[in-house]
Amino acid sequence: MDPITAMLETVLEEVRPLGSGAPAAYIPELASADVGLLAFGVVGPRGRVFTVGDEDATFTIQSMSKPFVLALALENLGREEVLARVGAEPSGEPFNAISLEAHTGRPANPMVNAGAIATTALIPGADIDDRTGRIVAMMSAFAGRSLWIDESVYASESSTGERNRALAHLLKSYGIVTGSVDDAVESYFRQCSVLVTVRDLAVMAATLAFGGVNPVTGSRVVSERVARDVTSIMASCGMYDFSGEWLLRVGLPAKSGVSGGVIAVAPSQFGVAGFSPRLDVHGNSVRASAFMEIVSDRFGIHLLEPHESVAAPGVSVIETPEGPLVRLGGELGFAGAERVLSLLREITAAAPHASLITVDASELARLHPAAVMVLRTEVESLSPRVRLLV
Ligand code: GLN
């Protein structure tokens, strides 16, 4: 067994004994879930997938669909048009609360039901099937395989979904939903009923973690800006009225679903997914949440953990017949550019006057605009002794 799988297995066994909570009861098809099921998946930068536990178990995506439908809305309409219909503030309320802004009726955020129904209503479509088709296609691109809907969970939720229907009618009364209420809410029920495994979810989370590029298929699914917007809203609102404490304890943008799944995003590092049907009072999976907390701590992936790499780019100095060659590698951010500048000054002071100093930034994996600006200005001031290759 490879060391990463072994580490995940250890955490899986640590959380297995946790027996509190109960599966969601208000959707009959979910109430009968096998509470013994437990599975986790992690996907890293090279698209390697690690899964442990009941990795073949399929379950419905439920509220974990919300970030991906938001991504589709942002990609189609742009940030401002989406924000005109749904906010980006944590509601501090349960997922099914009537979290609407006074006077405007704008839902607090797209991660609670009211906001998600408003987001779904923004997706164009001639009818329910057309709209759902676009949504499932987007989710499939995130997962890297064709996903489909569990018709019995859909029927179960639709036949008991009066609260969501009521929310949709309220949204219509405020003009947030403009088309058919029925189409909006049924499309929402269908998006929640898409079947996934932890592998699918981990790949979907990883696609957000790697700026909208699916690391398994290599395809760009959404723009980097859209992936960042979605991840930001997951960080502040993804775990409902536990979002603040989640950021403290786990420190990763995340989203849960009442089926017992949780996805978490470690930007540039991992997509993580967990599944276990027992839920806590917030509607978040007990064992999946505990797993995420341990993994975040043990793997050192809390978002607010300090990172040296952005401030310390890879630099190597090679002597060539022309003069010193300064090769930059990895990521060059603003703080890192500052370090390169002082190194450049030292080299310029030490090098013989006739030599040409070359700064090679062409191999950088990532170059931030502010860093290149700082570097350019400095190189221009040292010209003609220093030249920059980007
Ligand atoms: N389909 C569920 C609902 O709308 C999704 C809720 C959730 O996963 N938290 O009630």
Side-chain angles (χ1 to χ4, degrees):
M1 187 187 290
D2 71 272
I4 295 181
T5 309
M7 277 175 89
L8 296 175
E9 285 278 4
T10 308
V11 187
L12 176 104
E13 292 313 326
E14 279 173 59
V15 303
R16 194 187 289 282
L18 301 176
S20 65
Y26 72 101
I27 300 175
E29 279 284 312
L30 297 184
S32 58
D34 175 355
V35 296
L37 290 173
L38 181 62
F40 298 101
V42 172
V43 176
R46 271 182 288 272
R48 274 193 71 194
V49 183
F50 304 90
T51 50
V52 291
D54 302 303
E55 57 202 19
D56 297 326
T58 55
F59 49 94
T60 49
I61 192 166
Q62 296 300 333
S63 285
M64 293 173 289
S65 61
K66 294 170 181 171
F68 305 104
V69 179
L70 173 64
L72 181 56
L74 288 168
E75 193 80 1
N76 282 344
L77 304 167
R79 186 198 269 173
E80 299 317 319
E81 211 168 309
V82 173
L83 282 180
R85 299 289 174 88
V86 54
E89 292 305 327
S91 66
E93 290 184 309
F95 65 88
N96 57 4
I98 308 170
S99 299
L100 307 185
E101 197 174 66
H103 312 303
T104 67
R106 201 173 62 133
N109 66 71
M111 301 292 118
V112 293
N113 288 8
I117 295 166
T119 312
T120 300
L122 287 174
I123 308 301
D127 53 26
I128 300 169
D129 281 346
D130 189 19
R131 181 185 279 144
T132 314
R134 288 168 206 247
I135 291 174
V136 177
M138 177 54 106
M139 287 190 203
S140 300
F142 267 99
R145 75 169 181 111
S146 291
L147 301 174
W148 63 86
I149 291 169
D150 182 324
E151 294 295 340
S152 55
V153 174
Y154 162 67
S156 181
E157 176 157 8
S158 179
S159 66
T160 55
E162 296 315 330
R163 193 179 172 92
N164 284 325
R165 251 177 221 111
L167 284 172
H169 278 287
L170 263 178
L171 293 170
K172 174 91 181 183
S173 77
Y174 280 110
I176 299 287
V177 168
T178 49
S180 148
V181 169
D182 237 28
D183 280 15
V185 81
E186 295 304 324
S187 305
Y188 168 75
F189 292 149
R190 289 188 76 66
Q191 85 184 42
C192 288
S193 304
V194 166
L195 273 177
V196 286
T197 62
V198 282
R199 183 190 198 279
D200 295 325
L201 289 176
V203 177
M204 294 170 91
T207 303
L208 289 174
F210 299 109
V213 174
N214 182 319
V216 175
T217 64
S219 317
R220 172 161 295 286
V221 179
V222 288
S223 70
E224 196 173 297
R225 174 54 67 100
V226 163
R228 196 185 80 178
D229 282 0
V230 170
T231 313
S232 305
I233 293 182
M234 288 168 72
S236 55
C237 312
M239 301 301 276
Y240 311 121
D241 45 343
F242 192 68
S243 298
E245 191 166 336
W246 177 273
L247 191 61
L248 172 83
R249 289 184 181 280
V250 183
L252 296 176
K255 187 73 208 79
S256 61
V258 281
S259 50
V262 179
I263 54 172
V265 175
S268 305
Q269 300 187 66
F270 295 110
V272 189
F275 168 60
S276 175
R278 283 203 174 102
L279 309 180
D280 64 15
V281 290
H282 309 285
N284 301 328
S285 167
V286 171
R287 295 197 288 187
S289 300
F291 176 90
M292 302 279 180
E293 189 173 342
I294 297 173
V295 164
S296 163
D297 198 45
R298 208 164 287 169
F299 290 17
I301 52 177
H302 191 296
L303 207 59
L304 299 174
E305 179 116 357
H307 289 290
E308 265 300 299
S309 51
V310 186
V315 183
S316 61
V317 183
I318 304 155
E319 284 304 331
T320 74
E322 263 188 324
L325 168 65
V326 182
R327 250 199 204 133
L328 305 177
E331 176 170 4
L332 188 67
F334 191 63
E338 203 271 324
R339 284 201 192 182
V340 173
L341 292 196
S342 44
L343 177 75
L344 213 51
R345 280 179 202 149
E346 280 169 32
I347 295 174
T348 322
H353 236 73
S355 69
L356 175 66
I357 301 156
T358 307
V359 181
D360 185 1
S362 64
E363 299 285 300
L364 280 165
R366 193 175 174 89
L367 177 56
H368 292 263
V372 78
M373 203 182 82
V374 165
L375 213 56
R376 270 225 169 91
T377 315
E378 179 71 5
V379 166
E380 270 162 24
S381 78
L382 296 170
S383 152
R385 289 197 61 206
V386 183
R387 63 171 176 164
L388 176 67
L389 308 177
V390 237

